[in-house]
Amino acid sequence: MEYVTNTITGKNILVTGGAGYIGSHACKALRQAGYLPVAFDNLSYGHSDLVQWGPFEEGDINDSKRLDVVMEKYQPAAVLHFAGFTYVGESVLKPEKYYRNNVVGSLTLLEAMARHRVSKMVFSSTCATYGVPLSVPISEEHPQNPVNPYGESKLTIEKMLRDFDVAYGIKNISLRYFNAAGADPEGATGEDHTPETHLIPLILDAALGIRPQITIYGNDYATPDGTCIRDYIHVADLADAHLLALNKLESDSASAAYNLGTGTGCSVQEVIDAAREITGKKIAIEIGTRRPGDPDRLVSESRKAGDELGWKPQYGDIKTILQHAWKWHLQKTTEKSR
Ligand code: UDP
């Protein structure tokens, strides 16, 4: 499809990682709000069929020439920066991959933004920048001490953003996600990772019999049922937060960071129980060993995003998250088996 680029009103937004899980939801939200999302993705983990709300430009954030071409063509008013590798375990085994793609790639992107005078960025950061929490819920003031190269790479980018604001006036908002989950309520896009490591899609695979069971990584944590507690936040709510952050950058120029979570924790066992209810399937479990680096409890204090961005998660309930994820999962599995 040919899109009319909208350089006159400044509504073109470059979305790195726009063919990915969270990026594609953000493209949908941008389009619905009247922006033209330009998805820039190297398809290493993304899927071109998830690009449905604007033009697709294949490219890598490490490729400054390609970034020049795309920025020249669309003259984006802002960048929403989702592109990045996100596997914690892999980051421990292959740190160079995370520093090169996440850190060097973001540096290359920021340099291109400075060259093309693109002065606004919303960045996908993570609660992994806090490391093992000293207290829960975790507020934005909590010290940032990542415990793996993935978290370290994201924290380094937050620091680069601070410096590029001072030097080149690139105003930015870092959004620190807790556990992104769910799928588009209308079923247009959702999670499709290879390999899949995340709890909810693995549970849904077990519900479908694609995997024999779900392995619970430890049931001896200091939590009421012994399994880890996480703050699952609906991906459509994350997408909304990006729009609100963009609006904030358009109306006031201060850079900032916000946590994005519901403020309510859910244990692995509770997620499995809710999934049994939503899918109507038994879902076999196996108790495995702890996964290295998993804290007992990660729950967000998200008042700041509510107060300053006006963000209010619409789909806070784990059952709604699972309903949307299940609908997407069934659809995706049927398409793949054709
Ligand atoms: N988890 C689990 N079994 C799995 C995958 C994940 O018990 O097969 C647990 C994991 O230990 C963590 C929670 O589920 O406590 C969420 O893990 P996920 O990988 O989805 O997200 P993360 O918290 O690592 O970002």
Side-chain angles (χ1 to χ4, degrees):
M1 196 190 300
E2 266 305 304
Y3 290 92
V4 179
T5 58
N6 198 349
T7 48
I8 298 155
T9 53
K11 290 282 189 178
N12 293 343
I13 307 294
L14 187 68
V15 184
T16 72
Y21 173 40
I22 308 173
S24 62
H25 287 82
C27 286
K28 182 179 180 192
L30 283 167
R31 187 70 186 179
Q32 285 176 336
Y35 293 97
L36 183 75
V38 178
F40 185 86
D41 200 299
N42 67 4
L43 297 182
S44 61
Y45 289 107
H47 306 275
S48 55
D49 56 341
L50 298 187
V51 180
Q52 302 164 34
W53 296 279
F56 176 48
E57 294 288 348
E58 190 167 348
D60 194 302
I61 53 169
N62 277 294
D63 183 345
S64 59
K65 290 209 175 73
R66 184 79 188 112
L67 284 168
D68 279 342
V69 169
V70 172
M71 287 195 183
E72 189 56 43
K73 180 170 172 189
Y74 296 97
Q75 297 178 25
V79 174
L80 263 52
H81 180 28
F82 295 91
F85 293 151
T86 59
Y87 294 107
V88 171
E90 183 188 55
S91 81
V92 175
L93 298 173
K94 294 182 185 163
E96 69 284 2
K97 187 168 170 183
Y98 284 72
Y99 288 110
R100 181 157 312 281
N101 186 70
N102 294 4
V103 176
V104 180
S106 298
L107 176 61
T108 309
L109 175 64
L110 281 167
E111 286 172 328
M113 287 175 70
R115 274 198 303 283
H116 292 266
R117 310 238 185 296
V118 182
S119 61
K120 297 176 188 69
M121 176 186 273
V122 182
F123 169 57
S124 301
S125 190
T126 166
C127 66
T129 59
Y130 296 116
V132 179
L134 304 172
S135 58
V136 178
I138 304 168
S139 81
E140 289 82 357
E141 273 65 56
H142 188 287
Q144 289 178 290
N145 290 313
V147 291
N148 52 59
Y150 165 64
E152 197 68 64
S153 72
K154 291 283 184 173
L155 178 57
T156 307
I157 300 164
E158 285 197 14
K159 290 178 180 170
M160 288 192 323
L161 286 171
R162 185 194 57 200
D163 297 340
F164 272 71
D165 181 356
V166 174
Y168 303 107
I170 296 180
K171 300 297 168 194
N172 58 84
I173 290 182
S174 293
L175 297 176
R176 298 179 189 147
Y177 311 157
F178 280 64
N179 284 59
D184 176 46
E186 288 158 359
T189 181
E191 197 164 10
D192 189 1
H193 297 117
T194 308
E196 189 51 79
T197 62
H198 292 106
L199 180 66
I200 291 177
L202 291 176
I203 291 175
L204 299 180
D205 271 356
L208 283 176
I210 295 170
R211 293 171 202 265
Q213 76 263 315
I214 179 75
T215 304
I216 297 180
Y217 294 150
N219 66 351
D220 57 353
Y221 284 93
T223 61
D225 65 22
T227 66
C228 284
I229 291 178
R230 296 288 178 271
D231 184 338
Y232 296 90
I233 177 73
H234 197 294
V235 62
D237 287 324
L238 290 181
D240 279 351
H242 286 77
L243 269 186
L244 294 167
L246 188 59
N247 292 344
K248 182 160 178 8
L249 287 175
E250 281 172 346
S251 62
D252 105 33
S253 55
S255 295
Y258 299 97
N259 284 345
L260 299 180
T262 62
T264 307
C266 211
S267 74
V268 172
Q269 186 63 59
E270 285 168 339
V271 177
I272 296 170
D273 291 343
R276 285 177 172 148
E277 197 182 318
I278 298 299
T279 63
K281 308 279 184 187
K282 278 204 169 91
I283 311 179
I285 60 169
E286 162 191 77
I287 306 299
T289 52
R290 288 182 174 208
R291 189 172 65 175
D294 261 342
D296 299 342
R297 193 186 293 258
L298 291 174
V299 177
S300 165
E301 157 62 72
S302 296
R303 207 174 309 153
K304 190 178 171 196
D307 291 349
E308 295 184 17
L309 298 177
W311 182 65
K312 197 169 177 300
Q314 280 186 65
Y315 307 107
D317 178 38
I318 192 68
K319 287 190 188 157
T320 311
I321 289 176
L322 284 163
Q323 260 161 7
H324 295 162
W326 180 231
K327 181 176 165 193
W328 167 256
H329 210 78
L330 285 172
Q331 194 177 304
K332 185 184 69 170
T333 310
T334 313
E335 274 163 23
K336 282 188 178 168
S337 65
R338 272 199 200 120

